[in-house]
Amino acid sequence: MSATFLGMPGDFPTNAARAVKDSQLRYNLRKATHTIRGKRAAVVDELPDWHELRAAGKAVKDETLRHLDRYLLQLEEAVTAAGGHVHWARDAAEANRIVADLVKATGETEVVKVKSMATQEIGLNEALAAEGITAYETDLAELIVQLGDDFPSHILVPAIHRNRAEIREIFLDKMGDAPPGLTDEPAALAEAARLHLRERFLRSKVAVSGANFMIAETGTLVVLESEGNGRMCLTLPETLISVVGIEKLLPTWRDLEVFLQLLPRSSTGERMNPYTSTWTGSAEGQDFHLVLLDNGRTDVLADEVGRQALRCIRCSACLNVCPVYERTGGHAYGSVYPGPIGAILTPQLRGMSSELDASLPYASSLCGACYEVCPVAIDIPEVLVDLRAKAPHGAAERAGMRVAGWILNDQARLARAQHAAIRLRRLVPKRLPGPLSAWTDTRDLPEIPDESFRDWWEREG
Amino acid sequence: MRVALFITCVNDTLFPGTGKAVVSLLRRLGCDVDFPAAQTCCGQMHVNTGYRDEGVRLARHFTEVFAGYDAVVAPSGSCAAMVREQYPKLVRPGSRGATAIAEVAPRVHELSEFLVDVLKVEDVGAYFPHRVTYHPTCHSLRGLHLGDRPTRLLQQVRGLELVPLPGAQECCGFGGTFAVKNPAVSAAMGADKARNVLDTGAEVLCAADNSCLMHIGGTLSRQQTGIRVMHLAEILAATDGGTRS
Ligand code: SF4
């Protein structure tokens, strides 16, 4: 059973420093992110109206968020009218309790799962395990993570940090029915997983899923996937429980048109994903339950700058272009949401009281690559900077920044500081002490010149 | 044309050569340049590190200093982006500061923008017979959307051989206080950038931001690669009479 991220020790810089030293990890990440990055860029460039689509996606999401209460009630009504049951969960504990009770009511002790970020966010698998219920992940990458007793490290490709050889080891080690002569060919690995999972699909009476979108107008849930394993879970079991964040709404069917273009191209770099499943209430004869999850989202919605993070459609494009993510992988972020979106979403959902969460808004060089690729135009750098203003700052840093601010606020003070620096420049050591040693560990310092520009200008400008 | 120079605090203190190059280049192109002495800093470091109030104070100071000028030129993509893109978000719309910012911000130009868009020159009459590669810094690229303006200028420099930089659009890992707050990642990014620079076989790495060059140059120097870094202004100011800076 894979562990949860709750209460992970350390802060981002420490986790990241460990990760950048892992050469296998660096190689795996670089290769994978650059491949998906290239594919995304190619299929996005094909569309002459990408910018309009992106603006439309942003507008639809903003409109939904502005009237979220109304659309949620509309959704509830539609789902109920179609024979489904709607449950409201304020936080992780409440959502886990609702799902566990629903599973127990069926008398089953096993559930199959469709890959879902929401259930990972609330630590559902662990909560179910505590109630004697085993949850089996059916997405190939999730399965690899689960078998390896590992953390997911990417939104879309949770096992991105693993290469084929490592996956083969995990299967041989942990998957009871792995064929003994298993090679590390992708097809062989996929086939082994397929056989392993098939038996499970046929046996399971309860499935748990998330959803990519919910349509308020019709009460329909939508899942996009690549492998088709989700579809097996969605259709075969007698009971289906979907746990979905309240922000995943779209007002109407027509709105889906925009997102079915934005999401696959941004996430897997495909024109269209192989499987799109939709279901409405209990129309398929299944007992259907929808758990609507808040877990901090209404607080995010209340924040004028930060609320744009709720537009996120979890495509992971921002992860694949992020130079920081590329070198650290997802684990350093200590959350199911890694990379740029994790750096803004996690501190908003969890607050910044832990050292880890307070360090996340700084896990970026503000290069802006994430904003550029985001299909719903979330200005991630803007939110990062806003969160930094709210994050707790150490006393030494605060004092330093205040002094710097005081000097820089006045030309005479700045000139005096420059003169002092010039006088003392011979005393600057090659290796700086304290936090500034971070600079001189790997970089030479520039020489302090013998005259500032303003003095030169004064003299002969 | 009467132009105010915003030299930026980093250039003023650590890289005065860049400021002098801007002066000589713009004078050569017929501009009447002024350096408003009261200028200090755009406040980028404070805002981006989470010290918004100090940043807003510096922004206010900036708008007062540059209020009366038709055009302000800064040899820094990131400081120009700070003023133009971030200032308007710092203050509430409708407030006193907002009007002042709305008046000044659009008149602030990064050097290559000013040359290409305002002065409408691409051949600035420079001579620099060296093999050069260009790194488009993040704020120039994605903040200001400078596009190919800097490389168009470099292509017109006589004697200069411009070689493409692999992975040019990737961040070098400087990121202001990021370099100190996340040193391991910053160094890893810097090392990858340095390797890409080395692969070009260039003698000189050029960019429109001295802070990024300080980071990449510091890495190249620590690795004893023998590659020089130069600000765009310094290359454009160079003539066959020598670099006048
Ligand atoms: S923030 Fe944007 S790019 Fe990142 S996962 Fe969400 S939608 Fe995709």
Side-chain angles (χ1 to χ4, degrees):
Chain A
M1 195 58 38
S2 70
T4 56
F5 278 114
L6 306 168
M8 183 136 153
D11 57 11
F12 184 81
T14 317
N15 300 342
R18 205 176 315 121
V20 294
K21 290 211 176 75
D22 184 339
S23 47
Q24 183 70 63
L25 177 73
R26 286 277 294 278
Y27 177 83
N28 295 351
L29 285 166
R30 185 179 162 79
K31 191 158 185 254
T33 55
H34 281 249
T35 306
I36 315 181
R37 199 186 285 190
K39 277 176 73 183
R40 187 210 76 96
V43 296
V44 162
D45 283 349
E46 282 176 359
L47 290 188
D49 60 346
W50 182 257
H51 291 288
E52 286 80 13
L53 274 171
R54 185 178 186 241
K58 171 181 189 283
V60 170
K61 278 285 181 184
D62 279 344
E63 146 72 19
T64 316
L65 292 170
R66 206 171 304 126
H67 305 290
L68 191 61
D69 50 345
R70 208 178 74 208
Y71 287 122
L72 280 169
L73 291 175
Q74 194 189 358
L75 175 85
E76 179 181 39
E77 210 174 291
V79 171
T80 312
H85 306 275
V86 176
H87 311 260
W88 300 82
R90 222 168 329 205
D91 54 22
E94 216 170 86
N96 287 332
R97 166 111 323 271
I98 293 168
V99 178
D101 286 348
L102 288 170
V103 178
K104 279 198 257 174
T106 66
E108 295 294 317
T109 54
E110 285 184 2
V111 301
V112 282
K113 286 191 66 206
V114 185
K115 179 176 164 9
S116 136
M117 296 307 295
T119 58
Q120 275 176 22
E121 176 189 323
I122 61 177
L124 178 67
N125 291 8
E126 295 71 25
L128 289 178
E131 303 272 349
I133 300 162
T134 313
Y136 293 104
E137 294 294 346
T138 63
D139 172 82
L140 177 55
E142 289 291 358
L143 177 69
I144 294 163
V145 169
Q146 191 175 39
L147 290 174
D149 203 11
D150 195 358
F151 294 112
S153 70
H154 189 279
I155 294 178
L156 187 78
V157 203
I160 194 168
H161 56 297
R162 301 290 201 178
N163 60 28
R164 292 186 302 175
E166 291 172 303
I167 294 167
R168 173 177 171 270
E169 296 269 305
I170 293 171
F171 279 10
L172 286 175
D173 219 29
K174 298 281 180 55
M175 202 164 74
D177 48 3
L182 183 65
T183 67
D184 64 0
E185 285 305 309
L189 295 172
E191 181 63 11
R194 202 174 70 84
L195 292 173
H196 172 74
L197 289 171
R198 177 187 288 176
E199 197 256 344
R200 208 152 262 164
F201 292 134
L202 295 172
R203 203 177 55 206
S204 298
K205 303 252 181 326
V206 184
V208 175
S209 85
N212 293 100
F213 304 103
M214 305 186 285
I215 314 287
E217 154 185 77
T218 56
T220 306
L221 272 70
V222 184
V223 159
L224 278 65
E225 49 161 343
S226 300
E227 298 164 8
N229 290 340
R231 174 163 295 184
M232 302 283 269
C233 299
L234 293 168
T235 48
L236 291 175
E238 292 160 10
T239 303
L240 172 59
I241 306 165
S242 302
V243 183
V244 188
I246 52 171
E247 82 285 13
K248 295 248 149 173
L249 266 185
L250 298 178
T252 70
W253 259 109
R254 284 239 23 201
D255 298 319
L256 197 58
E257 168 196 342
V258 174
F259 294 91
L260 289 184
Q261 297 179 75
L262 288 177
L263 183 53
R265 285 182 199 255
S266 302
S267 59
T268 49
E270 294 168 302
R271 296 188 182 94
M272 178 46 84
N273 50 294
Y275 298 89
T276 301
S277 305
T278 69
W279 67 100
T280 307
S282 300
E284 311 296 325
Q286 264 173 341
D287 195 14
F288 173 63
H289 294 269
L290 171 60
V291 182
L292 289 169
L293 177 71
D294 184 333
N295 206 29
R297 285 163 175 74
T298 42
D299 295 335
V300 182
L301 194 56
D303 188 291
E304 262 177 62
V305 178
R307 69 169 63 127
Q308 56 186 310
L310 295 181
R311 293 205 295 262
C312 176
I313 55 173
R314 311 279 189 264
C315 71
S316 70
C318 57
L319 277 63
N320 298 330
V321 295
C322 177
V324 177
Y325 176 86
E326 181 191 329
R327 286 163 183 91
T328 64
H331 294 166
Y333 296 79
S335 154
V336 294
Y337 303 112
I341 181 61
I344 61 168
L345 196 57
T346 306
Q348 291 201 82
L349 290 176
R350 296 203 296 224
M352 288 188 276
S353 54
S354 80
E355 234 188 295
L356 174 72
D357 293 337
S359 70
L360 287 177
Y362 292 94
S364 164
S365 63
L366 304 179
C367 79
C370 49
Y371 178 28
E372 191 176 60
V373 296
C374 178
V376 284
I378 300 172
D379 191 341
I380 295 175
E382 181 189 22
V383 183
L384 286 167
V385 168
D386 192 63
L387 286 169
R388 290 176 184 189
K390 295 168 182 155
H393 299 136
E397 185 190 281
R398 248 192 348 256
M401 294 300 274
R402 205 166 292 147
V403 171
W406 182 78
I407 293 172
L408 289 171
N409 219 326
D410 180 274
Q411 53 157 326
R413 288 198 284 258
L414 174 57
R416 274 200 297 279
Q418 286 170 338
H419 294 152
I422 290 164
R423 259 200 320 280
L424 299 174
R425 64 186 164 151
R426 308 251 169 269
L427 303 178
V428 176
K430 282 260 172 288
R431 304 273 169 152
L432 296 176
L436 294 177
S437 66
W439 185 274
T440 50
D441 279 349
T442 58
R443 285 155 289 220
D444 287 341
L445 285 169
E447 304 255 335
I448 297 176
D450 50 17
E451 189 181 41
S452 68
F453 176 83
R454 68 181 58 238
D455 283 347
W456 173 82
W457 177 270
E458 185 93 334
R459 200 158 45 75
E460 59 183 281
Chain B
M1 173 160 336
R2 213 173 123 70
V3 183
L5 302 178
F6 172 46
I7 291 303
T8 85
C9 61
V10 168
N11 286 329
D12 178 14
T13 310
L14 291 174
F15 305 99
T18 296
K20 294 183 214 171
V22 175
V23 173
S24 101
L25 172 66
L26 293 183
R27 283 190 178 150
R28 197 168 79 213
L29 296 170
C31 297
D32 179 8
V33 291
D34 188 16
F35 173 78
Q39 66 176 278
T40 54
C41 163
C42 66
Q44 184 180 183
M45 174 180 79
H46 282 94
V47 171
N48 284 355
T49 314
Y51 296 81
R52 204 192 191 102
D53 295 347
E54 275 94 346
V56 169
R57 267 199 290 282
L58 291 167
R60 202 167 291 143
H61 182 71
F62 181 95
T63 45
E64 278 163 20
V65 171
F66 289 101
Y69 292 91
D70 300 330
V72 181
V73 177
S76 161
S78 87
C79 301
M82 173 71 194
V83 175
R84 246 186 20 219
E85 308 300 313
Q86 277 181 272
Y87 272 16
K89 293 179 183 169
L90 276 181
V91 287
R92 291 204 161 275
S95 70
R96 187 172 56 92
T99 326
I101 285 170
E103 273 167 23
V104 172
R107 283 185 261 134
V108 176
H109 307 277
E110 182 278 334
L111 176 67
S112 70
E113 267 177 339
F114 181 72
L115 296 174
V116 174
D117 299 351
V118 181
L119 293 187
K120 312 232 183 280
V121 286
E122 288 186 15
D123 183 348
V124 296
Y127 173 72
F128 190 74
H130 299 280
R131 194 177 160 98
V132 176
T133 193
Y134 182 78
H135 168 57
T137 59
C138 299
H139 292 173
S140 299
L141 190 69
R142 286 177 283 264
L144 292 179
H145 303 286
L146 284 191
D148 63 356
R149 288 178 187 82
T151 45
R152 257 150 64 199
L153 289 159
L154 287 172
Q155 264 150 2
Q156 300 294 328
V157 174
R158 270 170 285 288
L160 187 146
E161 185 195 350
L162 186 64
V163 288
L165 176 65
Q169 309 211 336
E170 281 170 41
C171 176
C172 70
F174 171 61
T177 42
F178 175 75
V180 175
K181 283 189 174 272
N182 280 285
V185 190
S186 170
M189 289 162 69
D192 287 346
K193 184 60 76 180
R195 196 193 51 232
N196 283 334
V197 173
L198 267 176
D199 285 350
T200 64
E203 290 171 75
V204 176
L205 169 70
C206 174
D209 272 285
N210 272 326
S211 35
C212 304
L213 284 177
M214 177 172 78
H215 163 73
I216 311 170
T219 306
L220 288 166
S221 155
R222 177 63 57 88
Q223 295 172 2
Q224 313 212 336
T225 58
I227 294 176
R228 203 170 10 140
V229 299
M230 279 175 84
H231 192 281
L232 178 67
E234 288 161 14
I235 293 182
L236 297 182
T239 60
D240 52 8
T243 311
R244 246 224 63 203
S245 65

